[in-house]
Amino acid sequence: MVIDMMIVMFRTVFFYFFIFLIYRLMGKREVGQLSITDLIVSLLIAELTVISIENYDKSILYSLIPIVILVLFQCILAFISLKKPKFRLLLEGNPSVIIKNGKINYNEMLKQRYNLDDLLVQLREKGYRSIEEVEYAILESSGSLSVFPYENGKSPLPLPIILDGDIQEDTIKHLRKNKKWVYDFLDKKDIRLQDVFFAFYKDKNIFIIKNDDLL
């Protein structure tokens, strides 16, 4: 009995430091910002850890090997997502504009299965008492809500035009523009699309950050 308890205690402490190391290597964000794939991996790691602690009579490798495979798989997905924006979009989805120019986008709420109670709760959590205080609210892929209130004298919300060399069609549609408008602007600046890391529209201008501008 004493030996069994010692094994359980050892495995508990071991997995604590092992999972701590894994999450440091994976560069995890805070829990509220986990993507769907991050959350799946986290749940599976937790389940495998519990199984190993409860079944202390079996080799610890039965949990260690699947955990290592999950971590490697997640790292590969993260690397591909970094290089391929469309693949990242497939995995994590696009942010959704829930409030635009002070008006609720009900069609987008229905599409995301996001109801008015959800919106009001998240607004209250951000310190806003009323929808009328909000100019823009964006439901991020992680499920968190980014809120931009009305502020006199402040610049309007910057809108992403290009991310990692990929034109954001939802943005140009919102601006009532098309891809030709983006390409024409890039041609004037003698910049190739694939060389653009980030471009955003603000104050009727397009601002560009090229890959060469990064540290």
Side-chain angles (χ1 to χ4, degrees):
M1 182 69 177
V2 175
I3 295 177
D4 292 343
M5 287 298 296
M6 290 181 65
I7 293 174
V8 171
M9 291 173 62
F10 168 77
R11 291 194 175 197
T12 302
V13 174
F14 171 80
F15 274 109
Y16 173 83
F17 287 105
F18 180 68
I19 293 174
F20 175 80
L21 177 62
I22 280 176
Y23 273 75
R24 288 296 299 271
L25 292 173
M26 292 174 67
K28 293 294 106 177
R29 299 163 286 182
E30 61 182 86
V31 174
Q33 296 179 333
L34 292 180
S35 66
I36 295 174
T37 54
D38 293 332
L39 182 60
I40 292 172
V41 170
S42 297
L43 292 173
L44 289 174
I45 288 176
E47 186 66 24
L48 288 166
T49 301
V50 170
I51 290 173
S52 182
I53 293 174
E54 288 181 344
N55 300 308
Y56 53 84
D57 55 328
K58 294 183 179 180
S59 172
I60 199 171
L61 292 176
Y62 285 107
S63 288
L64 284 182
I65 293 175
I67 289 175
V68 170
I69 291 173
L70 282 172
V71 172
L72 291 175
F73 182 67
Q74 178 64 3
C75 289
I76 292 171
L77 287 180
F79 179 78
I80 297 175
S81 297
L82 183 64
K83 299 295 183 180
K84 303 291 183 181
K86 290 183 179 180
F87 182 75
R88 180 172 64 244
L89 178 63
L90 178 65
L91 285 181
E92 300 183 5
N94 243 345
S96 302
V97 179
I98 300 300
I99 298 177
K100 181 169 62 176
N101 296 324
K103 297 180 180 179
I104 296 177
N105 188 345
Y106 285 106
N107 288 332
E108 190 62 30
M109 289 177 66
L110 289 173
K111 181 180 175 181
Q112 300 299 327
R113 293 179 292 280
Y114 184 79
N115 59 49
L116 187 59
D117 287 338
D118 295 329
L119 175 61
L120 293 176
V121 167
Q122 290 194 290
L123 286 177
R124 288 196 295 270
E125 289 175 346
K126 298 286 185 180
Y128 299 98
R129 294 170 293 180
S130 170
I131 294 175
E132 284 72 23
E133 299 177 48
V134 179
E135 183 176 11
Y136 280 90
I138 300 173
L139 184 64
E140 307 292 353
S141 354
S142 62
S144 62
L145 189 71
S146 298
V147 182
F148 301 87
Y150 284 105
E151 294 184 25
N152 293 329
K154 296 292 183 180
S155 298
L157 176 69
L159 301 173
I161 299 290
I162 301 172
L163 293 177
D164 291 335
D166 189 51
I167 296 175
Q168 303 302 294
E169 295 186 20
D170 289 342
T171 301
I172 60 176
K173 183 179 178 181
H174 168 67
L175 294 172
R176 297 181 180 179
K177 304 291 185 181
N178 53 38
K179 288 186 176 181
K180 183 178 182 301
W181 172 71
V182 179
Y183 283 116
D184 288 344
F185 182 85
L186 293 176
D187 287 340
K188 290 179 182 178
K189 298 292 183 180
D190 195 24
I191 299 173
R192 297 185 305 169
L193 178 63
Q194 57 266 36
D195 293 333
V196 178
F197 177 73
F198 179 50
F200 61 92
Y201 182 85
K202 186 177 180 180
D203 298 326
K204 297 183 179 180
N205 288 306
I206 297 178
F207 299 87
I208 294 177
I209 299 174
K210 297 189 294 183
N211 292 321
D212 294 341
D213 298 329
L214 303 177
L215 295 176

